[in-house]
Amino acid sequence: MTGSPRRPTPKALAGRQDPALRVTPVDYRAVPRPPAVDSRDRGSDRGDRGDDSGPGQPSGRLPPPRSRGRPRSRPRTVELPRPAPAAPADAVHTLDAEDPRPRPRPLRLDAGELRTVGVEQVIDEQVVHTVADPEDAWTADAGNSDHFLRGELVVQVRRTDNAVIGVFSARYALSVRPEDHQPALDIAETAAGPGVRGGRGTRHPTTRRELLRRMEEAGFVVTAGSTHGRVSHPDHPGLFVPFASTPSDRRFTRHAVAQIRRVFGIDLRR
């Protein structure tokens, strides 16, 4: 009966050397060396070759061994901080304090261009109020649009034509807001800056009476209210700006001028 040979017992293998210990390890980094040549034979060797060992001809020498150490690391690329993108050339308003272009236009609402996320019903009055009197504002989208937040609503306004292109819930808008956004709540109010004379005669009205006089000259209609009135204009139906009856902020006039400029596209600065 034939079969596989029997395995030797540990007793039979006692005293024998492990075959693996008799194996010589291979040095894979070893490079064969050229045979040693006596200095007296070098001259004759050159004479036999003549001038054939020029460029591109074999020289009879082996190339130097390649280093098998740690590979050279690639140079690291360091990202330098990039400046904020400029507003489009045809922008009509911007929250950038360095942009002096006074070409505002009235706020435009077009249901066909409006994108909504997280809101079920959009009321034009809420949209206008959010843009006119935001609690927070920031610039994103490579400087092409501005976002205004008030309560649970965020309105996105395109700079080129001052059109509302998005209405979102505050939770959604804040979750997708980029980390490198530019906060811009007060920039629109201080973008123009004071005049060279200071005090009375600055570009913004300095008193409530002066503000009302400029609004009256521009054709605005102020409707009084218990706490807040409304500022409207007959040429722009549907648009309004809230107007505090008893303002407490010393920057009230600058804030009102920025609201009117952002919603109606009429600049009361001089």
Side-chain angles (χ1 to χ4, degrees):
M1 183 175 179
T2 60
S4 59
R6 295 179 58 185
R7 296 181 180 179
T9 62
K11 183 177 180 181
L13 295 176
R16 296 188 180 182
Q17 186 181 11
D18 188 358
L21 299 177
R22 296 195 300 266
V23 178
T24 303
V26 179
D27 186 6
Y28 291 98
R29 297 176 300 175
V31 178
R33 298 182 180 179
V37 181
D38 192 1
S39 60
R40 293 172 297 179
D41 298 337
R42 291 180 181 175
S44 59
D45 201 19
R46 292 195 192 98
D48 296 340
R49 289 198 311 263
D51 296 331
D52 294 339
S53 59
Q57 298 296 333
S59 61
R61 298 180 183 178
L62 293 177
R66 297 180 60 184
S67 174
R68 293 184 177 270
R70 186 177 179 181
R72 297 178 59 185
S73 59
R74 300 180 63 182
R76 296 178 56 189
T77 302
V78 180
E79 297 229 351
L80 299 177
R82 299 181 179 178
D90 53 350
V92 297
H93 88 285
T94 174
L95 297 184
D96 185 6
E98 304 297 333
D99 196 335
R101 288 173 290 187
R103 296 194 306 159
R105 294 181 186 175
L107 190 67
R108 186 166 63 88
L109 295 172
D110 188 355
E113 298 184 6
L114 199 61
R115 184 171 71 98
T116 60
V117 177
V119 292
E120 297 181 357
Q121 186 177 3
V122 180
I123 302 176
D124 293 350
E125 185 173 347
Q126 293 178 341
V127 174
V128 176
H129 194 186
T130 300
V131 177
D133 191 17
E135 298 172 355
D136 191 9
W138 64 88
T139 297
D141 191 21
N144 292 320
S145 63
D146 302 313
H147 295 71
F148 303 92
L149 180 147
R150 182 176 180 83
E152 297 298 326
L153 201 65
V154 173
V155 178
Q156 182 182 10
V157 179
R158 186 169 52 207
R159 286 184 176 181
T160 54
D161 53 359
N162 204 25
V164 177
I165 59 176
V167 178
F168 318 108
S169 65
R171 178 179 299 181
Y172 168 78
L174 294 176
S175 65
V176 299
R177 181 172 64 176
E179 297 181 357
D180 56 347
H181 70 277
Q182 299 178 358
L185 183 59
D186 296 333
I187 291 180
E189 302 175 24
T190 58
V196 294
R197 292 179 294 175
R200 294 187 60 85
T202 55
R203 296 188 65 184
H204 288 81
T206 56
T207 63
R208 176 185 174 87
R209 180 177 300 178
E210 184 181 1
L211 174 62
L212 291 173
R213 180 175 55 81
R214 292 191 187 183
M215 288 194 297
E216 182 181 355
E217 293 175 356
F220 287 99
V221 178
V222 181
T223 304
S226 57
T227 58
H228 284 76
R230 279 195 172 196
V231 177
S232 58
H233 199 284
D235 294 340
H236 306 285
L239 301 181
F240 70 95
V241 164
F243 191 75
S245 301
T246 56
S248 57
D249 189 357
R250 62 183 181 86
R251 298 181 303 170
F252 159 72
T253 56
R254 302 176 69 91
H255 185 56
V257 169
Q259 289 178 313
I260 292 174
R261 183 171 184 262
R262 191 162 53 236
V263 174
F264 294 101
I266 299 176
D267 197 349
L268 299 179
R269 299 174 297 179
R270 293 180 181 175

